[in-house]
Amino acid sequence: MTGNHINVAGHLTERHITRTGQGGGRDVFEYALLRVVPRVERGECVNAGVLVYCRARGFLGARVHLDEARLLALDPAADAGGVRAALGAVEAVCGGGDAAGQAAGDDPGRRFRWLVAPRSTIVQPGPVHTGLTADPSAETERLLDLLVR
């Protein structure tokens, strides 16, 4: 679908809206980084994972990678084991089933929205971004390599 749009500078531009089935085999997905903020009052963080949700494919996935040296550089007293457990819990909620606990019965979209809700804890979600993908699982791995490792 194509339409006209007036941008901030006042220029008329053409914009394209992609709907399911119109993206050349690609679907819209949403993602957010998982950040570890060992001392919330300082606001410093380490990227430690990525959440990916693709409604069209019913996909919700998470991949985590904790760089313990970076974490301890921000806070030598950080509980790396506790952080790993929290990151593992996020992966479990994404995976669904019995490991997801009370979220097990929720659909992937509802679980994603719950996981990206702002919170003031050591493991926090970043802002949600969007993109197009033909393979949400591969996109999850690509984003982990690009933004976390």
Side-chain angles (χ1 to χ4, degrees):
M1 177 179 199
T2 303
N4 291 326
H5 174 72
I6 299 175
N7 66 21
V8 179
H11 297 95
L12 186 63
T13 61
E14 190 176 314
R15 75 177 185 184
H16 302 277
I17 300 170
T18 303
R19 295 202 170 115
T20 301
Q22 295 179 332
R26 298 182 305 163
D27 293 301
V28 173
F29 74 97
E30 300 173 76
Y31 73 95
L33 285 172
L34 292 173
R35 300 173 175 166
V36 177
V37 185
R39 294 180 57 192
V40 176
E41 70 277 9
R42 291 182 60 141
E44 300 167 329
C45 66
V46 174
N47 292 344
V50 63
L51 300 167
V52 173
Y53 170 58
C54 181
R55 179 179 176 195
R57 300 198 185 203
F59 177 87
L60 176 61
R63 291 281 287 125
V64 299
H65 172 81
L66 180 61
D67 185 332
E68 197 169 318
R70 283 184 182 176
L71 174 63
L72 295 176
L74 293 180
D75 183 3
D79 178 7
V83 170
R84 285 189 198 287
L87 292 169
V90 170
E91 286 182 309
V93 169
C94 283
D98 292 339
Q102 291 182 335
D106 292 339
D107 63 80
R110 186 174 174 104
R111 292 194 319 264
F112 178 74
R113 297 286 169 241
W114 182 76
L115 289 167
V116 299
R119 52 184 51 94
S120 181
T121 59
I122 290 177
V123 176
Q124 300 178 6
V128 175
H129 304 282
T130 61
L132 293 172
T133 186
D135 184 350
S137 181
E139 194 67 39
T140 305
E141 195 65 36
R142 184 188 77 80
L143 290 170
L144 183 75
D145 288 339
L146 179 69
L147 303 172
V148 177
R149 290 188 177 145

